Amino acid sequence: MKTALIIGAGIGGIATAARLARAGYQVTVFEQSSRPGGRTNILEKDGFRFDTGPTLFLMPDVFEETYAALGERMEDHLDLVRMDPTYRVHFHDQTYLDLTSDLIRMRKQLDTLEPGSFEAFLRFLSEGYRHYHTSLDRFVGRNFRSLLDYFSPANLPLIVKLKALKTHYANTSRYFRDPKLIAAFSFQNMYLGVSPYDALATYSLLQYTELCEGVWFPRGGMYRVIESLAELAEGLGVTFHYRTPVSKINTNGNQVTGLTLANGEELRADVVIANADLPYVYQKLLPEDNTRTRVNRMKYTSSAFMFFWGVRGERTNLLNHHNVFLAEHRYRESFDRIFRDLTLPDEPSFYVNALTRTDPTFAPPDADSLMILVPVGHINEASPQDWNALRNRARQAVFDRLALLGLTDLPQRIIFEETIGPTDYEATNLAKGSAFGLSHNFLQVGFLRPQNRHMRYGNLYFAGASTHPGTGLPIVLLSAKLTVERILEEQPQPRPTLVAMPQPGVAEPVQV
């Protein structure tokens, strides 16, 4: 059997391992933490549970294809509940907009904010539909082997059609005039850790995905996806080693030969796949070369403060499952503070996940589990930030904003608290503490993004957020799919072996 060693048991590493095992590889995965999942993980303590990574289950067709490729049906492993409204967007004047697939309700809400905007909303969704399917078919869902392959005569018109040279905020402003609506239909770029003032207008596909394909919740939480895929991978013969960090990828000429573990053990393999964050792999696991410098100079996504609060007392009906609170003043400046100044905005926007609204088991009776995500700049190596001060300011800003909603006694009711911040992300080998990996501007997508095979080492591959096609759970699943397709296309597959097997009346060797 061909052998493959995988660094990292994030969802990309797990899916890659399972697909390779099903294709006949002997696969071993090394993960430095105590369980699979990477950034998609879970926190459990004192009867409270929290998803610590992604909380939106988007693009269910991509998940369904992954399970099907492993010989399974997604519905046999995940019990999905559709979220509608997808989430509530809170504005500075205490008004809000429920984003819902109920078009009659959407029309009433939109026309209240901007008369006549419902028709523009339908055109906006129609554009998102075109962007979504064109992107998946022609860019996100395929490998590129060269710059000419990417900028081919067939693709160049599509780049214009997908509005890849326009920003998402400017494009959204063509459909809506009201600042609230422009913000409500452009902030979703923060799922990718990118400012709407820098993101491609192509990402109008995000709003289509949410409202038409749906936002879903797997009962048991997002970590249930990790558990089910890891179980399937093990069933296919994949071996996982936890608490086993890798210290080096071993090379010989233009090939990698295997891995060296932190304990000094050396392992050989036909193929190595790095699911660890790609910049970290270049900086820490590979010999120094020009690519390391180039990757370090690329643009990175934002970081975040994530607060996990166990709250005693009755669960408030003032919060939905998903809630977004947008900044009141200087909306653009708030993004400049994150992405230009690498700090916390004076008035931060933030997200609240109250998943007990859908799954009450995430907190004890008469208690609540709240996760709050506050975007902040990534680590500034040239001018280090005071993360304790920024954390405290972010925490207080959330309390102040939620008090305006009516949650005035929230600080006094918190009985459990954990925080994840930029330095914690950096400690888990995410370069610069960037929570979403490399950014997604025009010069860092498609073939211009680090590719899923090393340029020099022909049997070293990548799967994850910082390689093609990009970040986000469903996109990382596509990354695993594309990486495995490339391995099976490029790597010599085992040839049938002639073994002499004695059989009555047969003198020739038997092919097996």
Side-chain angles (χ1 to χ4, degrees), residues 296-311:
N296 190 55
R297 290 176 177 171
M298 296 181 86
K299 289 193 174 184
Y300 286 71
T301 54
S302 64
S303 191
F305 287 114
M306 295 183 72
F307 300 99
F308 304 94
W309 293 336
V311 182

Side-chain angles (χ1 to χ4, degrees), residues 133-166:
H133 288 284
T134 302
S135 296
L136 277 183
D137 293 343
R138 303 297 294 273
F139 292 98
V140 177
R142 57 160 295 190
N143 285 307
F144 294 98
R145 305 305 174 90
S146 69
L147 197 61
L148 290 177
D149 188 21
Y150 183 56
F151 288 113
S152 67
N155 280 350
L156 282 175
L158 294 178
I159 293 175
V160 176
K161 181 179 178 180
L162 291 170
K163 299 186 176 181
L165 301 177
K166 296 182 178 179

Side-chain angles (χ1 to χ4, degrees), residues 256-478:
V256 297
T257 58
L259 305 175
T260 298
L261 305 182
N263 63 9
E265 182 181 0
E266 294 188 6
L267 302 166
R268 298 185 65 86
D270 298 300
V271 174
V272 172
I273 304 97
N275 177 231
D277 191 40
L278 181 142
Y280 169 81
V281 174
Y282 276 102
Q283 292 166 13
K284 301 295 185 181
L285 302 184
L286 286 169
E288 186 171 358
D289 62 8
N290 292 334
T291 305
R292 176 189 295 187
T293 303
R294 183 174 65 86
V295 169
N296 190 55
R297 290 176 177 171
M298 296 181 86
K299 289 193 174 184
Y300 286 71
T301 54
S302 64
S303 191
F305 287 114
M306 295 183 72
F307 300 99
F308 304 94
W309 293 336
V311 182
R312 72 169 183 269
E314 185 178 354
R315 297 166 186 170
T316 175
N317 60 4
L318 297 175
L319 294 172
N320 286 8
H321 186 123
H322 300 295
N323 311 266
V324 174
F325 293 80
L326 296 179
E328 176 179 358
H329 301 297
R330 301 185 295 274
Y331 186 64
R332 176 162 191 164
E333 182 181 321
S334 69
F335 288 102
D336 288 341
R337 294 288 283 165
I338 295 170
F339 294 97
R340 183 192 65 198
D341 303 335
L342 302 181
T343 189
L344 181 73
D346 297 334
E347 182 190 358
S349 300
F350 60 92
Y351 161 78
V352 178
N353 178 233
L355 45 69
T356 55
R357 304 306 178 273
T358 305
D359 191 338
T361 66
F362 272 74
D366 301 322
D368 205 358
S369 294
L370 299 179
M371 184 277 278
I372 293 83
L373 185 151
V374 185
V376 68
H378 63 66
I379 292 172
N380 187 347
E381 295 157 334
S383 180
Q385 302 97 321
D386 184 345
W387 292 117
N388 284 332
L390 292 176
R391 171 195 173 277
N392 292 336
R393 187 157 67 82
R395 186 175 184 269
Q396 188 59 50
V398 173
F399 286 147
D400 293 344
R401 185 69 181 273
L402 293 181
L404 295 176
L405 188 66
L407 300 177
T408 55
D409 61 346
L410 180 59
Q412 293 75 38
R413 294 197 293 120
I414 294 175
I415 57 177
F416 166 80
E417 181 171 10
E418 291 277 354
T419 306
I420 296 175
T423 56
D424 300 297
Y425 289 119
E426 185 182 45
T428 58
N429 300 334
L430 295 175
K432 303 180 188 291
S434 172
F436 309 92
L438 292 176
S439 189
H440 296 78
N441 57 31
F442 180 76
L443 297 178
Q444 292 182 193
V445 295
F447 186 77
L448 304 179
R449 194 172 186 80
Q451 291 300 288
N452 53 14
R453 195 198 70 187
H454 196 280
M455 292 183 65
R456 175 181 177 183
Y457 305 117
N459 60 336
L460 173 59
Y461 294 83
F462 301 93
S466 290
T467 186
H468 174 69
T471 194
L473 279 189
I475 304 303
V476 171
L477 286 178
L478 286 174

Side-chain angles (χ1 to χ4, degrees), residues 59-69 72 74-75:
M59 300 170 64
D61 287 352
V62 174
F63 289 85
E64 191 171 33
E65 187 280 332
T66 298
Y67 283 94
E72 300 287 330
M74 180 176 70
E75 55 267 34

